[in-house]
Amino acid sequence: MATPLRVGLIGTGRIGQVHAMSVVSHPDTTLHRVADVFLEGAQKTAESFGGTATDNPDELFSAGDVDLLIIASPTSTHIDLIEKAIDAGIPALCEKPIDLDITVVDKLRDKANSTSVPIGLGFNRRFDPHFADLRARVKAGDIGALEQLLITSRDPAPAPVDYLAVSGGIFRDMTIHDFDMARYFVPDIVSVTAQGFNQFSSEIKELGDYDATAVALRGSKDELILISNSRHAAHGFDQRLEAFGTEGMLRVENLTDTNVRHYSATQVEARGPYQNFFLERYMDSYRNELEEFLKKIRGEASNTPTFEDGRMALVLANAATESAKSGTTISVSAK
Ligand SMILES: NC(=O)c1ccc[n+]([C@@H]2O[C@H](COP(=O)([O-])OP(=O)(O)OC[C@H]3O[C@@H](n4cnc5c(N)ncnc54)[C@H](O)[C@@H]3O)[C@@H](O)[C@H]2O)c1
């Protein structure tokens, strides 16, 4: 059996914990070094999952014993850390979004696209088993030619205002997952028409942001992708996907923990609540995301989102922001 790859984890907040869990549960990886500027966070994570803790992420690049880096620190650190990983020759899986500023991304673009060091972006929803199955069926031709994709993504409740204030706005923070999902089905998007709404949160409105969005993307073969987002949903984390084609339709509905349904005098077919929030709903996808990146490191075929995928999701988010502000349709290209 091959020696497990020694993982260095940067950032031990919400998503850092998820990655630590994926690393320790995968037979081919161990958690070797953990860095967080908040030392206590790194120490707690190392105590729970293994490895040595530091408050200095640079140690992971200089130590010479990190085989794979997972970047789960705040968005503003991503580009700098990806560049350090390339320079140190360490494969790196970096959380989304790649950055909030396209000029910062473009400075690293040529280097990131020409390096032989594997770089991956954390658009985990590609690896949700249900969405992946739906996509495989679309690719297999089960619904003929794809004409429309409907993505519904509603959070149970908004994130704290101090998070939202630096999030880059709903299109770059939340819809960014859906832009990647859209491109996973229709890589070549030619235009973006978006509207932003202020339906329920005065705090979000005061930030100059929206609490709900509607986006229409046009693909180069005239495919239509519709995205509906809300920062709240009384019925829980609402994650659905529908593909419509010349020969029919495929759908993924929301998930509950069990398939048991309750029938009584007052209700029928009642189920428990939806798997609520991303840690529960997408736990499998985070594990699969790591496995997919390992395939890339091994040189096998892999659907790990690339640096360019990270960039294009941001291009679409920027176009949506501009479209919502101007009330016009924005043309986009991959160049
Ligand atoms: N893929 C997903 O589903 C998903 C979900 C949540 C967050 N994210 C992304 O992951 C990133 C982190 O989000 P989060 O919610 O875990 O944030 P968080 O605030 O919970 O955690 C961030 C951690 O990084 C640490 N940190 C801050 N600056 C650092 C630095 N320079 N070097 C090392 N560590 C540093 C903080 O102390 C904190 O522990 C963001 O880019 C976010 O968009 C992705």
Side-chain angles (χ1 to χ4, degrees):
M1 204 179 78
T3 317
L5 295 180
R6 296 161 297 183
V7 175
L9 173 66
I10 301 181
T12 61
R14 289 186 309 168
I15 203 70
Q17 299 301 309
V18 174
H19 288 300
M21 277 185 254
S22 298
V23 168
V24 295
S25 65
H26 197 293
D28 297 343
T29 52
T30 55
L31 194 57
H32 190 62
R33 290 183 181 268
V34 182
D36 195 304
V37 289
F38 173 53
L39 182 59
E40 207 179 303
Q43 286 168 333
K44 276 193 181 154
T45 305
E47 274 162 28
S48 304
F49 301 103
T52 53
T54 177
D55 61 0
N56 180 6
D58 285 342
E59 279 180 24
L60 275 57
F61 299 101
S62 58
D65 58 6
V66 171
D67 303 314
L68 190 174
L69 200 71
I70 297 181
I71 301 169
S73 43
T75 302
S76 58
T77 66
H78 292 176
I79 286 291
D80 181 44
L81 292 171
I82 293 173
E83 181 159 29
K84 284 180 175 164
I86 294 171
D87 290 343
I90 306 173
L93 177 62
C94 179
E95 263 310 331
K96 51 56 60 180
I98 193 164
D99 197 275
L100 298 179
D101 183 346
I102 196 74
T103 58
V104 172
V105 177
D106 283 347
K107 276 188 194 147
L108 189 61
R109 192 178 180 195
D110 288 345
K111 188 170 175 174
N113 287 339
S114 58
T115 183
S116 58
V117 179
I119 300 296
L121 260 291
F123 288 116
N124 58 292
R125 294 183 190 181
R126 289 187 183 203
F127 309 113
D128 171 69
H130 310 277
F131 295 163
D133 184 30
L134 187 149
R135 180 177 180 269
R137 290 173 191 233
V138 170
K139 291 269 158 202
D142 287 9
I143 56 165
L146 179 68
E147 293 180 344
Q148 300 187 10
L149 189 70
L150 274 61
I151 304 173
T152 304
S153 179
R154 303 190 181 111
D155 283 352
V161 170
D162 54 351
Y163 170 88
L164 294 174
V166 294
S167 69
I170 190 166
F171 294 113
R172 295 186 191 92
D173 178 56
M174 183 172 172
T175 326
I176 198 104
H177 275 293
D178 309 312
F179 289 132
D180 182 68
M181 185 60 71
R183 290 196 59 253
Y184 199 34
F185 285 80
V186 181
D188 196 10
I189 304 288
V190 297
S191 74
V192 181
T193 312
Q195 284 195 294
F197 300 84
N198 290 102
Q199 296 180 328
F200 70 93
S201 169
S202 54
E203 284 177 319
I204 292 176
K205 190 173 184 180
E206 275 164 29
L207 293 174
D209 198 0
Y210 309 112
D211 54 38
T213 65
V215 181
L217 304 172
R218 187 185 293 268
S220 61
K221 294 182 189 143
D222 236 17
E223 303 95 329
L224 164 65
I225 298 121
L226 287 175
I227 302 170
S228 169
N229 286 161
S230 175
R231 287 282 193 189
H232 78 169
H235 55 286
F237 195 31
D238 192 1
Q239 302 288 293
R240 287 172 284 144
L241 186 61
E242 179 176 305
F244 167 82
T246 50
E247 306 296 326
M249 184 168 80
L250 291 160
R251 275 164 81 158
V252 174
E253 296 290 348
N254 283 312
L255 301 185
T256 53
D257 279 343
T258 82
N259 195 25
V260 175
R261 292 174 188 225
H262 182 196
Y263 297 74
S264 71
T266 54
Q267 57 183 9
V268 294
E269 299 192 357
R271 294 187 289 165
Y274 295 142
Q275 289 181 338
N276 221 13
F277 220 18
F278 59 93
L279 299 184
E280 293 80 15
R281 172 63 184 83
Y282 287 120
M283 190 47 89
D284 287 342
S285 76
Y286 296 113
R287 288 198 199 98
N288 297 342
E289 170 182 69
L290 177 62
E291 172 55 27
E292 203 69 21
F293 190 59
L294 294 177
K295 284 188 202 162
K296 184 168 176 138
I297 294 177
R298 293 183 208 118
E300 299 165 10
S302 164
N303 283 323
T304 290
T306 60
F307 184 94
E308 209 54 25
D309 290 324
R311 180 182 180 278
M312 271 315 292
L314 180 61
V315 166
L316 296 181
N318 286 345
T321 308
E322 190 185 338
S323 172
K325 272 193 196 138
S326 64
T328 58
T329 295
I330 308 296
S331 297
V332 289
S333 99
K335 284 176 196 141

